[in-house]
Amino acid sequence: MTNYLDGLNQAQRDAVESTEGPVLVLAGAGTGKTRVLTTRFAHILLSHRAYPNQILTVTFTNKAAREMRERVGKILGQPAEGLWLGTFHALGARMLRRFADRVGLQSNFSILDSDDQMRLLKQVMEAARIDVKRWPANALMAQIQKWKDKGFMPGEIPMADSTDFANGKAEALYRDYQDRLKALNAADFGDLLLLTVNLLKKDPEVLATYQKMFKYILVDEYQDTNLVQYYWLRLLAQSHKNICCVGDDDQSIYSWRGAEIENILKFERDFPGAKIVRLEANYRSTAPILAAASHLIAHNTGRLGKTLHAGRTDATGDNVEVVALWDSEEEARMIGGRVDTYRRAGQSLAEMAILVRAGFQTRAFEERMILLGIPYRIIGGLRFYERAEIRDAVAYLRVLAQPADDLAFERIVNLPKRGIGDTSLRAMHGKSRAAQVSLYAATALLVQEGGFKGKLRETVRALLQNFDHWRAMLEREGHVVTLETMLDESGYIAMWKADKSPDAPGRLENLKELIRALADFESLQAFLEHVSLVMENEENSDDAKLSMMTLHGAKGLEFDTVFLPGWEEGVFPNQRALDEGGNKSLEEERRLAYVGITRARHRAVITHAARRRTYAGWQDSIPSRFIEELPEEFITHTGSAAASQQPRWGAPVSFPVQARAPAKPVASSKIPPGTRVFHQKFGYGTVLAAEGDRLDIDFETSGEKRVLSNFVERHDA
C-alpha cells in the first residue's frame, strides 16, 4: 500500500519518509501537520519498521489523540489497537503504574483531582501552623506545580527557583505534601510525569526497558512542552534517537502555563545532525493573509524561521483590513453590523469569529449581538455574566437592591471567607423558617439575640452594617461608585489580588469591566433587569452561532471571517505581559497576533480605536505596534477619517477635539456649575453643582442625576 502517500506535497512526504534519526518538522499554521504525523505513524507500520506497540505517540489533548487514532485506523483499514498513543500525563500514568513500587506507591494508586489536592495541601499547611489567610493554599499549589513542571523533586530546587512564600517554608511544605500523597497511595497530576522522569533518571533498568520498547517516538505540538515533558522525551530517545517532533515555534503562546519555547529552538543542539523539515505551504488562508502574518512574525528574533505561502490554487483574496474607529463603542457597533451583513449575504455564523486578547473584551460584543439578535457562543470559557467573579459581584448588587434575595445573600455571605461555615448557615436557615423572614433578616435577628458567638458575631454584624452603609451610598452617590466601594470594602477585590493563580488578573479585569458596564445604565434596577434578560438569552444549541474567544483559545481553529479587535498599545500587546516579561513577552504577544491572523481563511479584519472606555472613564489609545509591522501592500486601511490619522506607535499622543470625539474627561473641580456636558447614557445636560469628583447634572432627556465626572465630557458652546 502506497496510496496513503498520494496527495502529500514534497515537504510533507519528506517528513513522513525520513523515519530514522531525529527529525524536527516545523509546521506552519494550516500546513497539514496532523496529516503528516498520522501518515508518518502509518508509514512506519506499513513499511514493517515497528509493531504498533513500539511507537510512542504523544499529543497534548485527548481529542487530538482520538483524532489521530481514527486517522491511523482509516489508513490501515482496521482499528488501531494496542497503541501507546495519548497525552503526556496519560502515558506517564501508564508507565508509572507498571513500576509504582519503585517510587513508593502501589500500582492501584489514586490520581487526585484539583479539589482533593487543595484539601490535602491545606491539611499540610494547618499541621505546620501556617496562616492560610495570609499565605493562601492556592498560591502554594501554583508554586508546587511550577516546580513539578520544571522537574524539581523536594530537595532539588535551585536558589533561582526558590520562594519566600510562608517565610521561606514553601519547600518544606512541598516535601510534607509529597509525603502525605505517598502515605495515601496517591499522586497528583504533576506527579504523573515528575515521578516517571525521576524513575527513568535513577533506575537504569526501567529506562532501558522503555528505550528498548519504543523504537520510534512521535510528538505533536512540541513548542508547547514544558521542562519535565522535555526531560521525559529526551530520556526515552537517548538510545535510538528516532524521535520526530512536530511543532511551530511561531505558535508558542503558552509560557504562562509552563511552555518553554527554548525546547524547540534548541532541538538541533539536543540532537546533533537532526533533520529539519519546514512545512510552509498553507492550505487554509489566502495569499494576502499569509503575507501579512509572515511579515509580522519576521520581527521576532527568537525563531527558527520559515515563510508561509499559499498552497491552494484559489488562494487569491482581499487584503487584510485594518479599521480605525473613534472609540470602543463604535468598534462593537461596527463588528456587530459586519457580522449581520455577512450573515444576510449567506455566510454562516459558524464560520465567523471574534478573537480578543483578554476575556473582559467580550462583554461589549456579547451585548451588541444580543441587541442584534445574533446567537453567539464563548469558546474555551463562559459568557461574561456567567463568570464566577461576575456572578459574585452581581449577587452583592442583588442583596443591595433586594435584601430578601436569599439565593444572592447565601452566595456572598461567606465570600470572601468570614468564618461562616455550614453550622452557621444551618442556624440562619432555621431562624429564617421559624420567623418566616428572609435569610438576611434572620441573620440580623441572630446577631441581636446572640445566635453567633465571639468574633463571628462581630464579623456578621459588620457585614450587615456595611450593607446599610452601601445602601445609603447608593442613594447618595449612585450605583457605579457604590459597586466599586462595595467590592473594595467587602474584601472581595483584595481576595483576588492575593490569589496567585494564573487567571486571577483576568478576573480583576472582568470586575473592572463590570464596573464600567454599570455606567451605561440609569439605575441599579435597570442594570439587574438587563443581566436577567442577558442570562435568559439562551439560543438553541443546534443553531449556527458566532464564536467569541481569546486568542489563546483560538489556536487550532479556523474560520472564513475573523475579527481581531482592540489592537492598541496596552491592550495588545498586553501591558501587564510586557511589564512582567519584557522583550520575551513581546515576542510571545507577536506570536499571538500571528496565530490570530492565520485563523482566517478568507477575511481578516483588525480594528483599533482612538479612545477606549475603561472602568475609570475614557482613555486615549494609539494603534498597536503590530499594525505598523504589517506589510502595507497587503493591508487596506478603512474607518473613521480622523481616527485613522492617529499617531503611530511610539509617537506622542494628541487627539484633536472633534464633534464625534469629545475631549478627554476632566476632574469635576474643572467643571463649574453651568457647564454643558455629555454622558454616554443620559445624553446632554447642564452641571448644577460639583462636589469632589461627583456632579449633579440636569440632563435634557433624563432629568437630574448625580454622576462621576469621569463619565462626562465637556461640551462648552
Side-chain angles (χ1 to χ4, degrees):
M1 292 178 60
T2 57
N3 61 332
Y4 63 91
L5 297 174
D6 294 347
L8 298 178
N9 63 37
Q10 186 54 53
Q12 291 172 333
R13 187 158 184 154
D14 196 15
V16 166
E17 295 184 315
S18 299
T19 57
E20 308 309 305
V23 177
L24 176 62
V25 180
L26 290 175
T31 57
K33 75 173 181 64
T34 304
R35 182 180 185 184
V36 164
L37 206 56
T38 54
T39 307
R40 181 183 172 92
F41 189 110
H43 178 67
I44 291 171
L45 293 180
L46 293 172
S47 58
H48 306 294
R49 287 176 167 83
Y51 292 108
N53 65 348
Q54 293 177 318
I55 306 173
L56 179 68
T57 308
V58 191
T59 65
F60 265 83
T61 66
N62 289 315
K63 179 182 176 182
R66 286 194 301 271
E67 182 182 354
M68 186 172 295
R69 192 181 301 272
E70 289 169 3
R71 289 197 185 193
V72 169
K74 194 172 183 179
I75 293 174
L76 297 177
Q78 61 185 39
E81 304 292 346
L83 306 183
W84 277 77
L85 191 162
T87 64
F88 278 99
H89 292 94
L91 296 172
R94 190 172 169 183
M95 291 182 178
L96 199 58
R97 289 199 187 279
R98 180 175 176 183
F99 294 101
D101 59 309
R102 303 199 186 195
V103 295
L105 295 173
Q106 299 171 35
S107 61
N108 64 342
F109 64 82
S110 301
I111 301 173
L112 301 189
D113 61 23
S114 56
D115 288 343
D116 288 337
Q117 291 172 34
M118 194 61 67
R119 274 198 294 272
L120 182 61
L121 185 60
K122 285 179 180 177
Q123 291 174 13
V124 169
M125 295 176 74
E126 287 166 2
R129 298 184 178 179
I130 302 297
D131 183 353
V132 293
K133 291 184 178 178
R134 184 180 178 190
W135 307 104
N138 58 352
L140 178 58
M141 181 59 74
Q143 181 61 61
I144 288 174
Q145 294 307 321
K146 284 182 182 178
W147 284 333
K148 292 189 176 186
D149 286 346
K150 291 185 175 183
F152 299 143
M153 295 286 290
E156 298 178 351
I157 299 165
M159 184 66 68
D161 287 278
S162 61
T163 175
D164 59 359
F165 183 92
N167 298 318
K169 297 178 181 177
E171 294 181 35
L173 292 169
Y174 177 25
R175 184 185 299 279
D176 292 345
Y177 172 69
Q178 292 301 106
D179 289 343
R180 287 285 292 133
L181 282 169
K182 189 176 293 186
L184 293 171
N185 190 36
D188 69 15
F189 207 55
D191 287 331
L192 300 179
L193 281 179
L194 176 70
L195 296 180
T196 304
V197 165
N198 199 52
L199 176 64
L200 294 174
K201 286 196 299 186
K202 295 185 176 181
D203 195 320
E205 182 185 352
V206 174
L207 178 60
T209 297
Y210 283 117
Q211 286 180 341
K212 185 177 180 181
M213 179 185 296
F214 302 126
K215 291 186 175 181
Y216 295 91
I217 299 174
L218 306 180
V219 187
D220 193 14
E221 304 286 10
Y222 188 60
Q223 78 282 347
D224 293 335
T225 52
N226 60 31
L227 285 176
V228 75
Q229 291 163 344
Y230 165 80
Y231 296 144
W232 185 72
L233 290 168
R234 281 207 64 190
L235 285 164
L236 294 173
Q238 273 180 358
S239 177
H240 52 69
K241 295 185 174 58
N242 290 333
I243 181 170
C244 174
C245 295
V246 180
D248 185 1
D249 52 325
D250 292 333
Q251 295 189 73
S252 179
I253 58 174
Y254 296 123
S255 65
W256 50 275
R257 66 185 189 196
E260 291 281 350
I261 191 174
E262 285 298 317
N263 292 350
I264 192 169
L265 296 180
K266 64 182 182 181
F267 187 86
E268 288 180 281
R269 294 201 302 272
D270 290 336
F271 298 99
K275 180 170 185 173
I276 308 296
V277 180
R278 288 173 167 81
L279 304 185
E280 298 173 306
N282 175 287
Y283 295 94
R284 173 190 302 157
S285 306
T286 62
I289 289 172
L290 296 175
S294 294
H295 198 278
L296 173 66
I297 200 62
H299 287 79
N300 273 5
T301 57
R303 62 192 295 260
L304 296 170
K306 64 183 175 306
T307 302
L308 294 183
H309 59 84
R312 293 166 23 203
T313 55
D314 61 341
T316 57
D318 295 334
N319 282 357
V320 172
E321 186 179 1
V322 176
V323 186
L325 300 160
W326 284 110
D327 54 41
S328 49
E329 294 180 357
E330 186 185 7
E331 179 180 63
R333 290 195 301 272
M334 187 281 290
I335 290 179
R338 289 282 192 97
V339 169
D340 196 33
T341 298
Y342 298 150
R343 175 178 65 162
R344 291 176 186 276
Q347 185 175 344
S348 170
L349 287 175
E351 294 303 333
M352 290 184 265
I354 299 173
L355 311 182
V356 297
R357 173 59 182 87
F360 76 89
Q361 291 175 261
T362 67
R363 188 198 64 82
F365 300 109
E366 289 185 59
E367 298 201 354
R368 192 67 191 168
M369 299 310 157
I370 290 170
L371 184 66
L372 294 171
I374 296 173
Y376 68 89
R377 59 177 178 160
I378 303 293
I379 295 181
L382 299 170
R383 295 186 301 171
F384 184 80
Y385 291 107
E386 291 174 338
R387 294 164 187 168
E389 65 277 11
I390 301 303
R391 284 183 177 271
D392 294 341
V394 170
Y396 268 99
L397 290 172
R398 285 166 54 189
V399 174
L400 197 66
Q402 177 50 268
D405 189 333
D406 285 358
L407 291 175
F409 183 68
E410 187 169 3
R411 183 182 181 99
I412 56 88
V413 69
N414 197 41
L415 194 66
K417 292 189 182 304
R418 300 183 174 97
I420 301 172
D422 292 341
T423 302
S424 298
L425 279 173
R426 281 195 295 271
M428 291 155 62
H429 278 287
K431 189 67 174 178
S432 173
R433 288 191 297 270
Q436 294 188 328
V437 295
S438 70
L439 205 58
Y440 185 97
T443 304
L445 288 174
L446 286 171
V447 170
Q448 293 170 11
E449 298 168 359
F452 298 114
K453 304 298 182 184
K455 183 180 178 182
L456 178 59
R457 182 181 183 184
E458 294 309 309
T459 299
V460 177
R461 186 199 306 275
L463 176 64
L464 298 180
Q465 289 174 343
N466 269 338
F467 269 106
D468 291 338
H469 160 65
W470 296 328
R471 285 191 193 96
M473 177 178 285
L474 180 64
E475 291 293 322
R476 190 175 64 249
E477 302 188 36
H479 50 294
V480 177
V481 175
T482 302
L483 176 60
E484 190 168 11
T485 304
M486 188 163 55
L487 292 178
D488 182 42
E489 292 180 350
S490 67
Y492 190 76
I493 292 292
M495 179 187 79
W496 285 117
K497 284 183 176 178
D499 192 301
K500 303 301 181 185
S501 60
D503 60 347
R507 294 184 188 273
L508 288 167
E509 286 180 342
N510 290 339
L511 289 168
K512 289 181 180 180
E513 178 65 14
L514 177 67
I515 294 169
R516 197 215 71 69
L518 250 66
D520 293 337
F521 296 87
E522 184 174 345
S523 66
L524 175 56
Q525 195 59 45
F527 171 74
L528 292 175
E529 288 176 5
H530 170 77
V531 173
S532 298
L533 292 172
V534 169
M535 297 300 283
E536 288 298 317
N537 190 63
E538 194 62 60
E539 298 290 339
N540 187 317
S541 60
D542 295 330
D543 292 344
K545 296 180 182 180
L546 169 73
S547 296
M548 296 187 207
M549 71 201 82
T550 64
L551 287 160
H552 284 101
K555 188 167 172 289
L557 302 177
E558 56 186 74
F559 304 90
D560 285 346
T561 297
V562 168
F563 296 96
L564 299 160
W567 280 43
E568 298 129 31
E569 286 297 307
V571 179
F572 191 41
N574 179 271
Q575 190 60 50
R576 188 177 73 247
L578 298 186
D579 292 343
E580 293 175 357
N583 191 62
K584 186 175 181 180
S585 289
L586 174 61
E587 295 215 343
E588 182 156 327
E589 291 288 296
R590 191 176 283 113
R591 292 194 291 270
L592 264 179
Y594 170 85
V595 167
I597 294 173
T598 54
R599 298 311 92 195
R601 295 191 194 101
H602 303 297
R603 183 186 292 116
V605 181
I606 295 168
T607 64
H608 61 96
R611 301 186 315 156
R612 189 159 290 278
R613 190 89 171 266
T614 69
Y615 78 104
W618 287 100
Q619 179 175 310
D620 291 337
S621 304
I622 60 174
S624 168
R625 69 191 76 189
F626 299 152
I627 291 176
E628 192 170 329
E629 294 171 357
L630 296 171
E632 283 297 322
E633 63 269 32
F634 296 105
I635 302 299
T636 299
H637 292 275
T638 64
S640 306
S644 65
Q645 295 168 9
Q646 293 178 71
R648 310 283 286 180
W649 173 75
V653 183
S654 177
F655 295 103
V657 178
Q658 302 281 344
R660 290 183 59 199
K664 189 177 180 180
V666 294
S668 61
S669 59
K670 298 180 182 178
I671 308 182
T675 304
R676 181 173 165 78
V677 295
F678 176 78
H679 186 281
Q680 286 290 324
K681 177 69 177 178
F682 306 134
Y684 291 96
T686 302
V687 176
L688 300 177
E691 179 185 344
D693 60 350
R694 295 159 181 80
L695 301 172
D696 290 323
I697 302 172
D698 183 15
F699 289 101
E700 295 172 2
T701 58
S702 308
E704 191 172 326
K705 307 284 182 188
R706 171 168 279 200
V707 299
L708 286 173
S709 60
N710 277 336
F711 293 101
V712 301
E713 295 111 0
R714 295 182 65 145
H715 267 262
D716 303 72

